[in-house]
Amino acid sequence: MSQESPTPLLFADLGLSDAVMKAVAAVGYETPSPIQAATIPAMLEGRDVLGQAQTGTGKTAAFALPVLSNLDFNQTKPQVLVLAPTRELAIQVAEAFQTYSSGIPGFRVLPVYGGQPYGQQLQALRRGVHVIVGTPGRVIDHLDRGTLDLSELKTLVLDEADEMLRMGFIDDVEAVLKKLPETRQVALFSATMPSQIRRIAQTYLKNPAEVTIVSKTTTSANIRQRYWWVSGMHKLDALTRILEVEPFDAMIIFSRTKAATEELAEKLQARGLAAAAINGDMQQAQRERTIGMLKEGKLDILVATDVAARGLDVERISHVLNYDIPYDTESYVHRIGRTGRAGRTGDAILFATPREKGMLRAIERATRQPIEEMQLPSVDAVNDTRINKFMSRISDALDAGGTDFYRDLLQKLEGEKNVPAIDIAAALAKLLQGDSPFLLTPPVRGAREERAPHPRADRNDRGERPARFEPRFERGPRREDDRGPRPPRPEGDFGGNDGGFERAPRREIAPRGEPEPGMETFRIEVGHVHGVKPGNIVGAIANEAGLESRFIGRIDIRDDFSILDLPAEMPADLLSHLKKVWVSGQQLQMRKVEPGEDTAGSGSARPPFKPKFGRGGKPGGPGGHRGPGGPGGNDRPPRRDGFKPRGPRNG
């Protein structure tokens, strides 16, 4: 089912219960969005739903409203389970359920996620809840403990399934799906539909109603997108100019690293701005307090990483600024989706260096929207803004009154010192400003500071050529000692008499050595064969143990297990819990490495590289390559650079 334009239906026409309709009217909803109009009737009928729509289109209400209408409030066991990729999104969805159930007395919803104490969750589960919203890891943990009973579950909702795939949770999602009752309703929502998500839908959904919201762009048309070339000027100075001149209510500034968020927030605070950082190293309670301050207007700027801001929906956010360009286009879409939601307008600004031009073009192709180049506010514009704000503050103070006491003091000073009142006012203004200069001064190279990349750079912009940063990380220059001399290439054919490749000897793994002081080495039963990456391991342990990622030491991934360093003397109950945590479809089974234990293992290296051959046959076979001038070949010499593996994807 496809919808391209807003439906003329009203919420009153969709068949929602009276109690839910009261809440809908209270929040001011009248006309459903396309995905809501297509999804709500299908879910009210009990059908499975496969929904595809971009972020910010109203997916939460699309499944929450029919779920609430179908609940049996006399039942205490969980009837609905919503899986979300991040804690922030789980909290947001739970809050949405609370909003939509304002007219339903006795309704109970429980968010469950890592980093929150178990006691609070267990107590709520014992009392009984109607809806559970959780992250996959914590939900599986409750299932393994026997504290979560899904025997009477009616509906499972997978929210942002593509994001769960990108974050490495898809195996955990399947593990939950396998534990569901035979008769249940499944609703899967995803912004994109990769093959893995499509496979899950085909396996676990029964004759689903397919809802696809066709969009001309993958980003909201309500968002104005601009970029600024970072050249000849520090990014912080450019950011300061934009913040002073650009009118905004609240802003999210995205940075790549956790340390960068804190550093940037401190520098903005030093400039008198109401800013705070939010990242994965912060305790969940602190993150929630920070977001609450943003909602209440006590903060105007949030400096965040991608994961920390996932699922964040604050109505005040009018601007999103990408201080660092993301590594992939999907992250960009999710970032700017924090503004321009629910029909509101928004602005997105991107800082890009000339060497990141390829990524900028990749973003334009992915979003199918041009991003306009912005001109940095000039020195004169910034100074004019500062002067106007200064004058406005004085006018506001005069209008507010209450200056009689200060007028008497200044009249006394004027008489005693025989100083004109205007000079006294100027001295007070200087005291207020402090040591920082009031006006900006033009830089020495002001004519070059805002110049875009030289036109010659366009020669390297070759249309559909893959962006440099999109498929792989940038690698610095190789040192001479990074690898030994290249072994000599065999003469004649590429391989031996059997036509195969000459194989280099298996490289041995270097000894791991002793852990750092205060750390111990642990073994977990997940490795290369399970498709695990270091980020999967760090994310799982940090979330489940409530441990800041900077306290997780070196990680060595073997074929079927991994070795990592963690703080010494971990509590026994925490270690027991981590044994049961699932990563990439495997329980960690974490244990300490015993003294003298061999940590290299029989699988200390990846399986050997096996070349893939085309239909023409293997080298040396019929139709195969026999070297220059051989049958079936050509006169070109073989490539000298050999096979170059691609770097890791940022996925």
Side-chain angles (χ1 to χ4, degrees):
M1 184 184 303
S2 290
Q3 303 271 339
E4 294 190 3
S5 59
T7 174
L9 290 175
L10 301 177
F11 274 103
D13 304 322
L14 299 179
L16 297 169
S17 67
D18 293 340
V20 173
M21 280 303 305
K22 289 181 181 177
V24 169
V27 296
Y29 293 170
E30 295 181 355
T31 305
S33 68
I35 192 169
Q36 293 165 355
T39 300
I40 290 175
M43 292 196 67
L44 288 174
E45 295 173 3
R47 292 189 62 185
D48 289 357
V49 172
L50 179 62
Q52 182 177 353
Q54 68 188 60
T55 184
T57 54
K59 292 194 293 290
T60 303
F63 62 78
L65 297 178
V67 158
L68 287 170
S69 296
N70 288 338
L71 283 179
D72 179 5
F73 296 99
N74 296 319
Q75 182 179 317
T76 57
K77 291 184 179 180
Q79 299 173 57
V80 179
L81 173 62
V82 182
L83 291 182
T86 65
R87 293 177 264 186
E88 283 71 29
L89 183 57
I91 294 171
Q92 177 189 325
V93 172
E95 291 175 348
F97 269 100
Q98 289 284 18
T99 300
Y100 301 144
S101 63
S102 59
I104 305 175
F107 170 76
R108 292 187 293 274
V109 59
L110 174 67
V112 295
Y113 47 85
Q116 187 186 48
Y118 278 95
Q120 180 180 341
Q121 297 176 3
L122 295 174
Q123 192 176 19
L125 288 169
R126 284 194 293 266
R127 287 197 303 266
V129 295
H130 301 105
V131 176
I132 292 177
V133 186
T135 53
R138 181 55 64 94
V139 169
I140 287 178
D141 188 48
H142 278 291
L143 291 173
D144 292 341
R145 289 168 172 248
T147 53
L148 177 57
D149 185 358
L150 299 182
S151 60
E152 298 185 22
L153 193 79
K154 296 179 179 178
T155 303
L156 171 73
V157 178
L158 303 179
D159 194 12
E160 295 200 10
D162 57 335
E163 188 62 19
M164 285 192 275
L165 172 65
R166 193 183 74 85
M167 297 176 69
F169 296 149
I170 205 65
D171 293 334
D172 297 338
V173 171
E174 280 204 79
V176 174
L177 284 164
K178 292 176 181 177
K179 297 179 182 291
L180 297 181
E182 192 67 28
T183 305
R184 83 285 184 188
Q185 180 186 41
V186 179
L188 188 154
F189 295 91
S190 184
T192 59
M193 204 60 63
S195 57
Q196 297 96 321
I197 303 297
R198 180 69 63 177
R199 177 185 60 79
I200 286 178
Q202 293 171 348
T203 304
Y204 297 99
L205 274 64
K206 300 175 183 177
N207 189 28
E210 296 195 26
V211 180
T212 302
I213 306 304
V214 179
S215 177
K216 296 180 180 179
T217 62
T218 58
T219 55
S220 174
N222 298 328
I223 303 175
R224 180 190 181 192
Q225 300 178 63
R226 292 172 288 170
Y227 71 90
W228 174 70
W229 289 117
V230 181
S231 57
M233 170 181 262
H234 198 279
K235 282 199 280 188
L236 182 60
D237 296 331
L239 176 61
T240 303
R241 289 197 193 185
I242 292 173
L243 293 176
E244 290 201 47
V245 176
E246 189 79 13
F248 69 95
D249 189 5
M251 178 183 295
I252 294 184
I253 301 175
F254 282 98
S255 184
R256 286 187 188 140
T257 65
K258 301 169 185 177
T261 61
E262 296 173 356
E263 181 183 355
L264 182 56
E266 290 175 359
K267 290 179 178 178
L268 293 176
Q269 291 168 6
R271 285 163 167 75
L273 297 165
I278 180 172
N279 54 59
D281 280 348
M282 296 172 60
Q283 295 292 329
Q284 184 62 29
Q286 185 180 356
R287 291 160 71 173
E288 292 174 13
R289 284 196 300 270
T290 303
I291 295 171
M293 292 172 67
L294 184 70
K295 292 180 178 179
E296 296 167 5
K298 298 177 181 178
L299 282 176
D300 295 327
I301 301 172
L302 203 61
V303 188
T305 55
D306 287 308
V307 173
R310 181 70 63 181
L312 188 63
D313 186 10
V314 178
E315 187 173 346
R316 290 187 60 225
I317 297 174
S318 60
H319 284 63
V320 170
L321 192 143
N322 293 274
Y323 195 74
D324 298 318
I325 195 169
Y327 284 120
D328 56 77
T329 58
E330 195 69 23
S331 295
Y332 176 83
V333 173
H334 280 284
R335 283 182 178 187
I336 72 171
R338 299 310 99 201
T339 187
R341 302 173 71 88
R344 299 187 294 268
T345 58
D347 284 82
I349 299 173
L350 172 68
F351 285 1
T353 65
R355 64 190 298 181
E356 295 166 339
K357 185 177 182 180
M359 188 62 202
L360 177 64
R361 301 298 176 236
I363 290 173
E364 289 184 321
R365 291 194 297 271
T367 61
R368 298 188 292 276
Q369 259 188 327
I371 305 177
E372 62 181 281
E373 183 177 357
M374 73 176 296
Q375 296 298 319
L376 200 65
S378 65
V379 171
D380 291 339
V382 175
N383 289 338
D384 288 343
T385 302
R386 290 184 178 183
I387 293 172
N388 291 333
K389 287 182 178 179
F390 179 75
M391 297 296 190
S392 296
R393 291 175 65 186
I394 296 175
S395 298
D396 293 342
L398 290 173
D399 294 339
T403 59
D404 294 341
F405 173 74
Y406 301 101
R407 183 186 296 110
D408 293 340
L409 285 179
L410 295 180
Q411 285 177 344
K412 182 179 179 182
L413 179 64
E414 184 182 14
E416 291 179 353
K417 300 291 185 180
N418 193 25
V419 178
I422 190 66
D423 291 342
I424 298 175
L428 291 174
K430 185 178 180 181
L431 286 174
L432 179 65
Q433 183 65 22
D435 295 331
S436 58
F438 185 85
L439 299 176
L440 284 181
T441 55
V444 177
R445 301 177 63 188
R448 293 176 55 88
E449 69 178 12
E450 299 164 21
R451 184 176 297 177
H454 197 277
R456 288 181 295 178
D458 292 339
R459 294 186 300 177
N460 295 324
D461 187 25
R462 299 182 181 176
E464 298 299 319
R465 183 178 180 179
R468 184 173 184 179
F469 292 103
E470 190 172 12
R472 60 187 178 185
F473 294 108
E474 184 183 12
R475 183 175 65 188
R478 188 188 299 275
R479 299 184 306 176
E480 293 296 325
D481 59 349
D482 280 351
R483 66 178 181 184
R486 185 189 299 271
R489 185 183 298 275
E491 298 288 338
D493 290 350
F494 283 9
N497 296 331
D498 60 352
F501 283 92
E502 195 71 33
R503 193 181 308 282
R506 194 181 195 86
R507 187 179 67 172
E508 297 295 329
I509 299 294
R512 180 177 176 86
E514 295 296 324
E516 296 180 1
M519 304 287 281
E520 290 181 324
T521 302
F522 293 81
R523 170 173 170 146
I524 53 178
E525 303 304 319
V526 59
H528 285 309
V529 296
H530 309 114
V532 75
K533 298 178 181 177
N536 304 138
I537 299 173
V538 172
I541 295 176
N543 284 335
E544 296 297 331
L547 185 68
E548 295 183 12
S549 59
R550 59 192 175 97
F551 294 120
I552 302 175
R554 175 179 172 182
I555 299 176
D556 290 333
I557 300 178
R558 310 296 194 229
D559 273 1
D560 54 359
F561 69 95
S562 299
I563 303 295
L564 74 160
D565 293 341
L566 293 173
E569 300 180 359
M570 291 179 61
D573 58 339
L574 180 58
L575 184 58
S576 176
H577 167 62
L578 289 175
K579 288 182 179 179
K580 302 175 183 179
V581 172
W582 290 76
V583 177
S584 295
Q586 295 290 116
Q587 279 190 312
L588 294 184
Q589 296 296 328
M590 181 180 290
R591 64 174 177 82
K592 289 183 184 179
V593 172
E594 301 297 331
E597 181 179 345
D598 181 16
T599 58
S602 59
S604 59
R606 290 179 181 265
F609 169 72
K610 295 181 179 180
K612 295 182 180 180
F613 303 100
R615 295 181 179 179
K618 296 184 179 182
H625 182 76
R626 295 182 180 269
N634 54 40
D635 294 332
R636 290 187 301 175
R639 290 182 61 176
R640 300 180 61 186
D641 55 354
F643 172 73
K644 294 184 179 179
R646 300 171 75 106
R649 287 187 181 272
N650 186 37

